[in-house]
């Protein structure tokens, strides 16, 4: 069914296209799906990815930028030289495919376990932290007058929002209480500048090849805010997948990340990065708690939700490490 709809779509905007083959769903959440397929063309097949909310699905979650904004951000990043897939087409209502966009399919790996351990990526790993710093600097330089309408949140607002999310779980955790108190006590106040923030820049949302970073994916949590938020989030221990002594995704140091960022012409504020790393760790812990709550209350009693829910305890250990006095 979807191949027929995609074939009609590509015939309208891809000159010479004769249809599509190999459509396969890669993921499907509560409101969004991702499909891979090939566009048949006289010059050879063209690899493509469809991201969509199928017709009849509700609006995106309140923190999500929305698929139209994602497409605009990805294309803006692509044109500015930030590693990003090229957006080939934005869906229209008459195509009967829902809302979303079709983008270029790039080869590479997103699975952290393979990136951190397979020989294929051994040469790239020592360069990734510094390279990622440069990518983030480029992302934070994207001109605000070309950005779509995005939500804006200060550190103070984020603390309040995550505290409400935590209280709604009715799952008391003393370490989370400690982290909330620390965040309130160390709230750095408004950032000296506001930039585009990717919002979910981490291992798993990056396509990595033997040559390093090939693309930044999943811009759905993009917003306006403190650029140090992205640097803190990529250092959260949950994205290191066991390589805890290498804070940046399990493959590099904070110093390498900061050096890459500053070599690209931007300044790092390490104290603000630390604040956002603590915030990000708590944020992930609360998200894990939300997964456990949905598993318990149904109707989706998937094992995946239960397994993610259990990871809330890991974030408690991570928070204690972050908040312990130095030298202890």
């Amino acid at each position: 069914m979807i191949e027929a709809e995609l074939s009609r779509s590509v015939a309208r905007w891809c000159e010479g296209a004769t249809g599509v083959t190999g459509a396969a769903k890669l993921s499907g959440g509560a409101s969004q799906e991702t499909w891979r397929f090939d566009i048949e063309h006289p010059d050879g097949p063209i690899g493509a990815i469809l991201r969509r909310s199928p017709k009849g699905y509700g609006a995106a979650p309140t923190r999500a930028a929305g698929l139209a904004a994602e497409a605009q951000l990805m294309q803006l990043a692509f044109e500015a030289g930030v590693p990003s897939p090229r957006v080939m087409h934005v869906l229209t209502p008459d195509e009967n495919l829902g809302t979303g966009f079709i983008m270029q399919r790039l080869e590479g790996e997103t699975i952290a376990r393979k990136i951190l351990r397979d020989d294929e990526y051994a040469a790239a790993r020592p360069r990734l932290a510094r390279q990622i710093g440069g990518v983030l600097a480029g992302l934070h330089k994207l001109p605000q007058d070309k950005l779509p309408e995005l939500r804006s949140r200060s550190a103070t607002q984020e603390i309040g929002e995550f505290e409400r999310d935590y209280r709604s779980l009715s799952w008391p955790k003393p370490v989370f209480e400690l982290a909330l108190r620390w965040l309130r006590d160390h709230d750095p106040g408004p950032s000296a500048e506001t930039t585009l923030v990717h919002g979910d820049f981490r291992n798993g949302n990056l396509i990595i090849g033997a040559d390093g970073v090939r693309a930044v994916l999943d811009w759905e949590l993009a917003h306006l805010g403190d650029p140090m938020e992205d640097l803190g989030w990529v250092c959260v221990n949950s994205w290191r997948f066991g390589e805890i002594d290498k804070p940046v995704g399990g493959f590099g140091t904070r110093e390498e990340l900061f050096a890459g960022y500053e070599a690209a012409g931007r300044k790092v504020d390490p104290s603000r990065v630390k604040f956002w790393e603590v915030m990000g760790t708590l944020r992930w812990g609360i998200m894990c708690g939300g997964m456990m709550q949905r598993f318990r209350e149904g109707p989706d009693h998937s094992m995946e939700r239960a397994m993610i829910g259990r990871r809330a305890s890991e974030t408690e250990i991570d928070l204690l490490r972050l908040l312990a006095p130095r030298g202890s």
Side-chain angles (χ1 to χ4, degrees), residues 43-311:
D43 296 334
I46 303 171
I49 294 287
L50 165 69
R51 275 180 59 78
R52 70 163 185 166
S53 289
K55 191 175 181 179
Y57 277 65
T62 55
R63 293 183 69 87
L67 287 167
E70 272 195 73
Q72 190 174 339
L73 289 169
M74 291 176 72
Q75 188 60 22
L76 181 62
F78 175 83
E79 292 170 356
V82 177
S84 177
R86 177 172 60 89
V87 176
M88 303 164 73
H89 175 68
V90 177
L91 301 179
T92 57
D94 59 336
E95 291 175 285
N96 202 36
L97 283 164
T99 59
F101 57 91
I102 295 169
M103 60 183 173
Q104 169 193 19
R105 188 172 77 237
L106 298 175
E107 299 305 320
E109 188 56 73
T110 60
I111 298 174
R113 175 180 54 79
K114 294 183 178 182
I115 295 166
L116 295 177
R117 292 167 177 77
D118 286 5
D119 291 343
E120 181 179 354
Y121 308 102
R125 281 194 289 270
R127 303 193 303 266
L128 283 175
R130 187 181 179 97
Q131 190 177 15
I132 281 173
V135 171
L136 279 173
L139 190 155
H140 295 157
K141 289 178 184 177
L142 292 178
Q144 290 197 39
D145 60 351
K146 293 186 178 180
L147 300 179
E149 185 174 351
L150 298 169
R151 67 181 178 89
S152 179
R153 289 288 189 277
S154 67
T156 305
Q157 289 171 317
E158 292 281 52
I159 295 169
E161 186 168 331
F162 287 129
E163 180 165 11
R164 287 191 295 273
D165 290 345
Y166 162 65
R167 302 288 179 209
S168 72
L169 299 176
S170 299
W171 190 13
K173 287 184 172 294
V175 177
F176 284 12
E177 300 284 351
L178 174 66
L180 283 166
R181 185 172 68 186
W182 186 94
L183 289 167
R184 287 191 293 266
D185 290 345
H186 293 81
D187 184 346
S191 174
E193 65 170 337
T194 297
T195 69
L196 171 66
V197 176
H198 180 275
D200 201 12
F201 192 100
R202 59 175 173 82
N203 228 337
N205 286 339
L206 302 171
I207 296 180
I208 305 295
D211 52 345
V213 181
R214 292 182 177 171
V216 181
L217 303 176
D218 291 349
W219 297 67
E220 63 183 325
L221 296 180
H223 58 279
L224 299 176
D226 183 350
M228 297 301 101
E229 179 182 345
D230 277 334
L231 277 73
W233 182 244
V234 77
C235 291
V236 168
N237 189 37
S238 297
W239 321 136
R240 302 177 201 172
F241 295 88
E243 301 290 338
I244 62 173
D245 294 329
K246 297 176 180 177
V248 184
F251 41 67
T253 66
R254 293 182 184 87
E255 291 74 20
E256 290 167 328
L257 173 72
F258 296 170
Y261 193 78
E262 296 198 332
R266 292 190 54 81
K267 294 294 184 183
V268 173
D269 184 334
S271 65
R272 295 186 81 96
V273 175
K274 168 71 178 289
F275 171 86
W276 286 108
E277 185 177 344
V278 174
M279 176 84 87
T281 304
L282 177 64
R283 167 186 165 189
W284 177 237
I286 293 169
M287 290 169 68
C288 291
M291 285 286 189
M292 180 59 76
Q293 184 181 59
R294 287 191 285 277
F295 169 77
R296 287 171 169 168
E297 297 179 356
D300 183 0
H301 297 291
S302 73
M303 186 59 67
E304 181 182 15
R305 287 190 188 276
M307 291 175 67
I308 294 175
R310 289 181 68 250
R311 296 192 67 186

